[in-house]
Amino acid sequence: MRAQEDRLTADSAVGAARRAGVPAALPATGPGSDYAQLSRTVKRAGLLRRRPVYYSLKIGLNLVLLAAGWTAFAVLGQS
C-alpha cells in the first residue's frame, strides 16, 4: 500500500511539472557523457536560440551612446 502511495505522489509531481511546462529531467544513466546530457538539456530549454533583434538593439543602443559621449566631449571642449 505504501509503495502505491509513493508512486501516486511521484506521478502527481511529474504531471504537475508537465502542466507547469518544466522539461522532463534526464535519466541518471544514458548515452553519452555528462556534457552531452547537459548540452541536450540546454538545447531543449531553448537557451542557445539566436536572437538577432535583441543583439541588433543592444549594438544600436551602444553605438548611439558612444556617439552621444563623443558629441558631449566635442561640445564641452576644454573645460
Side-chain angles (χ1 to χ4, degrees), residues 43-64:
K43 287 178 184 175
R44 204 175 309 132
L47 298 175
L48 294 177
R49 284 189 316 241
R50 294 183 181 195
R51 301 183 297 171
V53 173
Y54 171 78
Y55 290 113
S56 297
L57 290 174
K58 293 282 276 192
I59 291 169
L61 176 64
N62 277 305
L63 289 174
V64 166

Side-chain angles (χ1 to χ4, degrees), residues 24-39:
L26 291 173
T29 60
S33 64
D34 290 341
Y35 175 78
Q37 291 178 1
L38 177 62
S39 178

